[in-house]
Amino acid sequence: MTTDPQNVTLYDTYTRETRTFESLEPGKVRMYCCGPTVYDYAHIGNLRTYVFEDLLRRMLAMAGYEVRHVMNITDVGHLTSDADTGEDKMVKGAARTGLTAWEIAERYTGAFQSDLAALNILEPHVWCRATDHIAEQIADILEIERQGYTYVTGDGVYFDTGKLKDYGYLARLDVQGLNAGSRVDLGEKRLATDFALWKFSPPDQKRQMEWDSPWGRGFPGWHIECSAMSVKYLGELFDIHCGGKDHIPVHHSNEIAQSEVAHGTRLANYWLHGYFLELDRERMSKSSGEFLRMQSLIDRGYDPLAYRYLCLTAHYRSDLKFTWESLDSATVALGRLRQLAHDGGEGGEGGAPDPGWLADFQREMRQDLNSPRALAVVWGLAKANLPGAVRRRTILAMDDVLGLDLANWLPPDETVPGEVLALLADRDAARAGRNWVLADELRDRIQTMGYEVEDGPGGSRAKRR
Ligand code: AMP
Ligand code: ZN
């Protein structure tokens, strides 16, 4: 396999260029992705961003890099308005459900992780919660204060964006224009672009989530958590920082501002942003209560991996309009790929991937993650005149990046009953314990139920005889 790491290009929002990727440390990539605010379920638009990040990670692994992937869980401090006003989303979510803020954090973190698993998204190597890193955030704010970039108002400690010459460079923000245009709603903030580093608890109220700090009891602003945790787990300058495109003008601009002051770096060498899944407002807005999430698709009979396939059909830097028809087409396409990969294995495993087709596929993926063109290569391969086993091996190698879990799919008529699966698991355990007699006995019992046991490199499975 050709795995020349020099051949990866990525579009960097910071420089507005497609750059040849070079990792800071040879052969290793350190990558941080902004995670969910766990006050509700993720909608399918949010999940598109995580599919894009997973594709990026898998592509880098294919290109020969060892990737370290960190994702945060925002469980405090994300207010309903980007202007640092409004309610804390967690407190609002708690009021909606009748649970505590801590309980909903637990509930929706679990739900989010299940969504990722359903989409075959690889788990980050590090999950980090904002509420577990209050001390690190306070330390960063202290440093920013020491450098003279903060001021205190009646409701919190703010970052003084007016003092930072290139504030908003990532978004090419028209800082002067923004600040000239907004005199309303500023409160005690000096500039509209200033943002909270620490918010005080209301004096007459005990918040569910609050901590002591050098400035008084309260909670951290949303942006400081990502700066503090990414530096803790990846260092002061790491390779790639990802998120959805809505993060460019506020959240990521603020993360960079904080890091420039506290650590003297722009935090990440490459800034990558996933574009949006477009859906009508009603079905996307969490406040409407009707929004589409993974379970909504499952309830309508869709396979989560069909949604993953749909995401692959669009380049991550273009918006994707969601329609049920497009999800239907994705379902059909995924079905065909599954069948193709499966049929190639009928004559037994064997064969090696076709190097030409695989190289074409990899080339497309390495060029700024061009998944639509990579899929076109997959469909070219589907039609090519190749032995079935070679086609299967090639598709499965491509699927290391596509992540459609093709290797584990069985046609519906080969769905194995639970009893057989239980015997198979017992047999695996017997084999692991080198109890060959019991293992053979279990194989015979499986056979009498009409199934053949196959032991492959990926484990054992049962097939109808
Ligand atoms: P949140 O939980 O609101 O912080 O959002 C989680 C992630 O989803 C962030 O990276 C957002 O940028 C991203 N996101 C929000 N809306 C969409 C959308 N419609 N399509 C794709 N990504 C989105
Ligand atoms: Zn973030």
Side-chain angles (χ1 to χ4, degrees):
M1 212 196 311
T2 44
T3 51
D4 176 4
Q6 306 310 320
N7 285 337
V8 171
T9 58
L10 294 174
Y11 183 82
D12 176 19
T13 308
Y14 194 89
T15 58
R16 298 286 193 278
E17 277 169 350
T18 302
R19 298 167 56 199
T20 299
F21 180 71
E22 280 177 69
S23 58
L24 294 164
E25 240 182 293
K28 296 196 174 168
V29 177
R30 288 171 279 150
M31 154 173 162
Y32 182 89
C33 301
C34 289
T37 307
V38 286
Y39 69 111
D40 206 332
Y41 294 105
H43 60 53
I44 59 171
N46 299 137
L47 295 171
R48 181 184 181 203
T49 291
Y50 301 107
V51 169
F52 139 61
E53 292 160 353
D54 186 54
L55 207 60
L56 174 63
R57 170 172 164 185
R58 287 169 179 268
M59 180 276 286
L60 290 166
M62 171 201 82
Y65 290 103
E66 189 187 312
V67 183
R68 180 168 162 85
H69 178 201
V70 176
M71 188 180 288
N72 68 303
I73 297 282
T74 300
D75 56 357
V76 70
H78 195 171
L79 304 188
T80 48
S81 147
D82 275 346
D84 290 311
T85 55
E87 285 174 272
D88 183 326
K89 290 188 179 187
M90 297 301 293
V91 174
K92 209 173 157 195
R96 190 190 71 238
T97 53
L99 300 171
T100 67
W102 297 99
E103 284 165 344
I104 64 160
E106 195 71 28
R107 171 196 281 191
Y108 294 118
T109 300
F112 176 71
Q113 291 171 333
S114 307
D115 286 347
L116 297 196
L119 287 164
N120 201 26
I121 290 173
L122 300 170
E123 264 211 78
H125 302 100
V126 176
W127 286 109
C128 41
R129 284 196 208 100
T131 53
D132 287 338
H133 297 80
I134 300 296
E136 289 85 345
Q137 297 175 69
I138 289 176
D140 266 10
I141 302 170
L142 276 171
E143 180 57 24
I144 296 168
E145 182 179 55
R146 201 178 68 79
Q147 305 269 352
Y149 285 83
T150 63
Y151 60 90
V152 178
T153 72
D155 71 21
V157 181
Y158 282 81
F159 188 104
D160 193 349
T161 58
K163 284 212 167 142
L164 198 62
K165 266 208 307 295
D166 64 348
Y167 173 78
Y169 179 78
L170 175 77
R172 308 295 191 267
L173 286 184
D174 171 14
V175 176
Q176 277 186 347
L178 275 175
N179 286 320
S182 58
R183 287 286 126 219
V184 245
D185 259 4
L186 264 190
E188 291 177 66
K189 261 169 41 165
R190 294 180 187 161
L191 289 174
T193 45
D194 293 352
F195 57 91
L197 295 164
W198 188 264
K199 291 277 278 187
F200 300 137
S201 296
D204 50 344
Q205 201 186 317
K206 177 152 178 46
R207 278 176 48 92
Q208 293 182 32
M209 291 175 155
E210 58 177 11
W211 295 265
D212 285 326
S213 82
W215 311 277
R217 239 177 141 57
F219 58 99
W222 172 34
H223 318 294
I224 195 73
E225 70 172 80
C226 285
S227 300
M229 294 192 284
S230 58
V231 165
K232 171 165 180 173
Y233 293 105
L234 297 172
E236 291 186 335
L237 180 68
F238 51 90
D239 296 289
I240 303 178
H241 195 312
C242 300
K245 69 172 182 181
D246 57 323
H247 284 345
I248 301 169
V250 181
H251 183 51
H252 289 171
S253 291
N254 294 348
E255 278 188 44
I256 290 175
Q258 293 164 157
S259 303
E260 281 181 348
V261 173
H263 306 288
T265 74
R266 63 158 130 127
L267 200 55
N269 203 2
Y270 297 79
W271 287 83
L272 267 62
H273 294 97
Y275 278 46
F276 268 25
L277 182 80
E278 289 178 342
L279 198 60
D280 52 75
R281 196 179 274 269
E282 186 64 10
R283 285 185 296 171
M284 196 61 105
S285 153
K286 293 189 185 175
S287 54
S288 78
E290 301 280 330
F291 66 92
L292 276 186
R293 57 188 177 98
M294 202 70 262
Q295 190 60 41
S296 330
L297 303 193
I298 296 169
D299 289 345
R300 289 179 190 229
Y302 288 100
D303 187 323
L305 293 174
Y307 178 67
R308 183 175 173 111
Y309 184 95
L310 177 61
C311 293
L312 301 178
T313 61
H315 190 263
Y316 77 93
R317 278 194 297 112
S318 54
D319 289 328
L320 170 60
K321 199 169 163 54
F322 178 83
T323 62
W324 292 107
E325 292 70 33
S326 59
L327 189 58
D328 288 338
S329 307
T331 302
V332 171
L334 175 64
R336 285 207 190 117
L337 277 189
R338 284 172 161 169
Q339 196 68 52
L340 208 62
H342 173 265
D343 291 352
E346 293 288 67
E349 291 296 350
D354 180 89
W357 284 102
L358 192 55
D360 286 352
F361 172 89
Q362 293 179 339
R363 190 176 321 109
E364 299 299 358
M365 287 307 296
R366 285 176 194 195
Q367 285 173 14
D368 195 30
L369 227 52
N370 200 328
S371 57
R373 286 181 48 178
L375 278 183
V377 175
V378 174
W379 290 111
L381 166 73
K383 289 199 216 98
N385 188 14
L386 285 172
V390 174
R391 188 176 6 244
R392 172 178 160 81
R393 282 276 137 230
T394 314
I395 291 182
L396 294 186
M398 294 170 173
D399 197 38
D400 286 347
V401 183
L402 301 174
L404 297 169
D405 198 25
L406 298 175
N408 290 316
W409 182 79
L410 288 173
D413 63 348
E414 288 185 29
T415 305
V416 181
E419 271 170 277
V420 173
L421 290 177
L423 290 173
L424 198 62
D426 289 348
R427 180 174 167 275
D428 284 345
R431 277 159 56 88
R434 309 182 78 77
N435 187 345
W436 310 117
V437 177
L438 178 60
D440 284 346
E441 210 178 292
L442 288 164
R443 175 196 284 267
D444 292 345
R445 280 179 61 193
I446 293 170
Q447 279 185 344
T448 55
M449 296 173 80
Y451 288 83
E452 199 68 68
V453 179
E454 280 184 355
D455 295 313
S460 59
R461 62 179 204 166
K463 259 180 109 172
R464 188 177 282 284
R465 296 215 285 162

